[in-house]
Amino acid sequence: LLLRTDKKRVKKGEQMIRKATKKDLDSVVRIYESVLIEEEKRNEKMVGWVRGIYPTDKTALDGLEQGSLFVYQEGDRIVATAKMDNVQAPEYAECDWGYDVPYDKVMVLHTLAVDPECSGRGYGGKFIDFYEKYASENGCDYLRIDTNVKNTIARHIYEKHGYSRAGTVKCSFKGINDVYLACFEKKL
């Protein structure tokens, strides 16, 4: 798995995680929508996202403009996306974190999404591995991630990668009411 910042074409079968560009926005929004469509087909609410509220095209655009939006590319296809930065949601103040450290020493993974057509292939786990490496290279040895408690798949992946549950916060999150936010942390 490569991290590249150049604009060279990714060869068939080659994989990389890189900062998103403007041309990636449609693919990122398509992944958000595909996750929501898949939930509707199954008549389930596993992720806890709400169409038109979170995540949206504005979520992707804000991440791009802030330089925190990343994509996982395989060949010509974007298969996963997430945001990585030092921005902790206001709701994090309500969590009983195990590590009391300055914000600039904490890297946060937001809105990790894998294209449902590509689920089960390990892309989410590889994105987390990349996130940890990226955090370390940027001087952040403390990692935080959150997810709706409904998202059992994400919770399982985080725990499998050594993240500890720091707590659950009941809140309105990104405009979605009555969310139970499961907060995870890890020290590298």
Side-chain angles (χ1 to χ4, degrees):
L1 186 61
L2 306 170
L3 168 61
R4 291 198 348 209
T5 54
D6 58 41
K7 304 292 187 212
K8 292 181 182 174
R9 185 173 171 89
V10 180
K11 297 175 186 170
K12 184 174 181 170
E14 186 177 57
Q15 299 177 359
M16 75 167 158
I17 296 175
R18 60 174 172 77
K19 283 200 173 188
T21 65
K22 190 170 183 166
K23 72 176 190 156
D24 298 319
L25 286 176
D26 287 343
S27 294
V28 170
V29 173
R30 181 191 54 77
I31 290 173
Y32 295 164
E33 284 297 312
S34 294
V35 169
L36 288 162
I37 289 167
E38 188 64 26
E39 284 195 340
E40 289 169 359
K41 276 198 277 186
R42 293 182 185 171
N43 198 23
E44 297 174 352
K45 284 293 176 194
M46 293 182 359
V47 177
W49 293 351
V50 176
R51 185 183 307 281
I53 298 178
Y54 181 81
T56 64
D57 54 349
K58 183 171 178 3
T59 306
L61 182 60
D62 288 349
L64 179 71
E65 290 174 350
Q66 295 160 2
S68 62
L69 184 65
F70 288 77
V71 293
Y72 188 136
Q73 184 173 347
E74 183 174 60
D76 289 336
R77 183 175 185 177
I78 303 300
V79 296
T81 183
K83 289 174 36 178
M84 293 180 266
D85 57 32
N86 299 98
V87 179
Q88 298 183 57
E91 294 80 5
Y92 281 20
E94 301 299 317
C95 188
D96 187 22
W97 298 103
Y99 305 104
D100 185 21
V101 293
Y103 271 35
D104 64 339
K105 298 296 179 192
V106 177
M107 184 71 64
V108 183
L109 181 71
H110 311 270
T111 323
L112 174 60
V114 176
D115 185 335
E117 291 180 11
C118 302
S119 65
R121 299 182 194 169
Y123 295 124
K126 289 177 185 175
F127 219 122
I128 292 170
D129 292 340
F130 172 81
Y131 158 61
E132 293 177 0
K133 182 179 176 196
Y134 179 79
S136 179
E137 289 172 355
N138 284 278
C140 296
D141 291 331
Y142 299 90
L143 308 174
R144 292 184 178 165
I145 305 174
D146 66 73
T147 190
N148 192 308
V149 294
K150 296 175 184 179
N151 194 338
T152 57
I153 294 169
R155 289 188 355 243
H156 174 74
I157 291 171
Y158 302 153
E159 289 167 353
K160 182 178 173 184
H161 279 80
Y163 288 80
S164 300
R165 181 110 166 238
T168 302
V169 176
K170 184 179 188 290
C171 59
S172 290
F173 188 76
K174 305 283 186 184
I176 304 170
N177 294 324
D178 298 320
V179 171
Y180 288 86
L181 197 63
C183 299
F184 292 86
E185 67 183 336
K186 182 176 182 177
K187 181 182 184 300
L188 295 177

